[in-house]
Each structure stands twice: as structure tokens, then as C-alpha cells.
Amino acid sequence: MNILALDTATPLGGAALLLRGEPVEHVRFEAGEGHVAKLPEAVDGLLSKAGWSYEELGLIAVTVGPGSFAGVRVALGFAKGLALANNTPLVGVSTLMVVAAGAGIGSDVMRPDVVAVMDARKGEVFSARYRFDETGFPSEYWPPGCWLPSSLASSLGPARTLMTGDGLRAHEAVFKEHMGKRFKTAPEENWAPHPMVLGVLGLRLFEARGATPAEELEPVYLRVPEAERHKKAAQAQAAASEAKSGDAPSQ
């Protein structure tokens, strides 16, 4: 099976090709002017190197969030378009699961239990805790959520905890303060989601539960987008003004 993996949920995007779960080609790219300008070019380049066509893809794996609101939509929209155009099976994977599964790449880090922490901005982090089976496949131990770093650190319990993700870069001091010697991190070069890891997870999930229809696959934000918050606030303010006006006595 020819697999295409796509991720633009964080500032470091990526795409990868795998054959039956084994690496073929991959590329990483910074957002710069935006992932939307780089992802199609990156995928075209990978397919050209491998000598594959879009029609030969047997599975597309894509991160569905959490992450940047705009970034998550870029890869997901591109993946949906490819899946619908070529009738290719599609599977979505949590960005946090990809981050957790990449914790031990190129190192001797043991991963029975990993907490993935992504920078959510506004002083918060997206996080989930995963446990790995004997094959190295993660399952959710704590579901994804949006946390204050101090609250997350206080909730992790007395055992030493392996953590990974770019949320550590922004809030390392908070975790060290609250966790002390219990705080352990994966190598920093593994903190960003890796497209090869995404491809492997996508294949495993596809084998376990099948594909998701493209029209049913939705982004996972964990927090209401800023534009939507402003819209709801404006609607609430307008409704309140209208109600106040309606209560005013007639002259």
C-alpha cells in the first residue's frame, strides 16, 4: 500500500510517503508565508522522487488537530480534496498522538507512558497522555484537552513522567517548578510531529477501524477559534442591546 502522510498543524509542517508502513521519502518545511503555499509543492516533489502518481495512493493519513486553526485546515482540506478526487481511503490522526509516538525516534527513550504537550498560546497547552503497548502503538490514557501548564503539572501524579512537544519550550520553567525531578523530556528534535510517524499511525488506525469518509472528517481544535469567539461576543452584545432597547419605556 502506498501511503501519503500530511501534517501542517504546527509551524513545522511535513509530508511523507511510505510503502506498507516503511519509509520512502519525507520533507519538513517551516510555515513561512503559510503552509498553504508549500504543501502542494512538497507533495508533488515527493511523488516525483518516488515515481508515484496520486492515483496510485492507497491511503492518506492527515493530522486533524489540535494545532494552529489555519494550519490544521490546510492539510485537512488538501487531504480531503485528494481523497475525493481519487477515491483514496482517508484516516485522521490526533496531532498529540503523533507527537507522543515520535518521542523515542533515534534514541533509547522508553515509551510506556508519554505526555504530549503542544503550545496552545494564550498561556495554555494542548495535552494528552498515551500508553504504549508492546508493539509501540499508543492508546489514550488521558484524552486531549486544553490546560494551564501549572494545572497539568499538578495533575500528573508522583511518578517520573516523560513529556514531549513544543509546549515544553514555552513552559519548561513551569513544569520544572511544579514537578522537580519527576520532569523528564524527550529529545527536543523530536518535539514536532513527524510525518513518517503519522504515516505509520495512520496505517495502524486504518487496519483497526477502516477509513473515514472525507466529508465526515472534521478538525479537532479543543478551543473555540478566536474569530468565532469574537462573533459570539458580538452577537451576545447585539442581543443585549436589543433587549435593553425593547425594555425602554416609550415616549
Side-chain angles (χ1 to χ4, degrees):
M1 177 184 284
N2 295 345
I3 303 167
L4 171 64
L6 304 170
D7 167 60
T8 55
T10 70
L12 182 61
L17 298 178
L18 302 90
L19 178 61
R20 293 186 292 275
E22 294 299 321
V24 175
E25 299 279 355
H26 82 277
V27 64
R28 313 286 290 277
F29 46 86
E30 297 283 351
E33 70 273 18
H35 287 315
V36 67
K38 295 188 175 182
L39 183 61
E41 181 181 352
V43 174
D44 284 344
L46 287 177
L47 291 173
S48 178
K49 279 185 178 181
W52 297 1
S53 67
Y54 284 104
E55 293 76 17
E56 291 175 310
L57 294 174
L59 178 67
I60 300 172
V62 60
T63 47
V64 294
S68 156
F69 295 126
V72 169
R73 290 196 298 271
V74 169
L76 187 55
F78 187 68
K80 284 184 167 186
L82 291 180
L84 290 169
N86 299 290
N87 197 31
T88 307
L90 178 63
V91 63
V93 184
S94 166
T95 315
L96 287 164
M97 178 183 281
V98 180
V99 170
I105 294 176
S107 75
D108 58 357
V109 173
M110 298 300 292
R111 299 172 299 159
D113 195 323
V114 176
V115 176
V117 182
M118 293 173 58
D119 186 9
R121 307 297 174 89
K122 301 182 184 299
E124 296 176 322
V125 294
F126 299 127
S127 183
R129 190 168 192 157
Y130 295 89
R131 287 196 168 164
F132 290 78
D133 62 23
E134 62 279 0
T135 71
F137 187 77
S139 59
E140 286 181 6
Y141 182 60
W142 282 6
C146 190
W147 295 74
L148 290 173
S150 57
S151 297
L152 176 62
S154 299
S155 301
L156 290 175
R160 197 174 187 204
T161 304
L162 177 62
M163 305 181 76
T164 187
D166 65 5
L168 301 179
R169 189 174 299 115
H171 303 287
E172 182 178 19
V174 176
F175 290 114
K176 283 183 175 179
E177 177 186 350
H178 285 78
M179 299 176 68
K181 293 181 178 180
R182 294 183 293 119
F183 180 59
K184 179 183 178 183
T185 69
E188 186 171 353
E189 60 268 24
N190 295 347
W191 287 358
H194 198 292
M196 283 295 187
V197 174
L198 167 61
V200 172
L201 293 175
L203 177 60
R204 291 287 300 274
L205 290 172
F206 175 69
E207 291 172 341
R209 69 188 187 194
T212 301
E215 59 273 14
E216 296 181 12
L217 197 59
E218 296 293 336
V220 177
Y221 290 133
L222 298 183
R223 190 168 64 192
V224 178
E226 191 73 22
E228 188 174 333
R229 282 208 297 269
H230 288 320
K231 181 179 178 181
K232 287 183 176 180
Q235 290 173 338
Q237 185 176 3
S241 297
E242 184 177 343
K244 185 176 181 179
S245 175
D247 289 341
S250 57
Q251 300 297 321

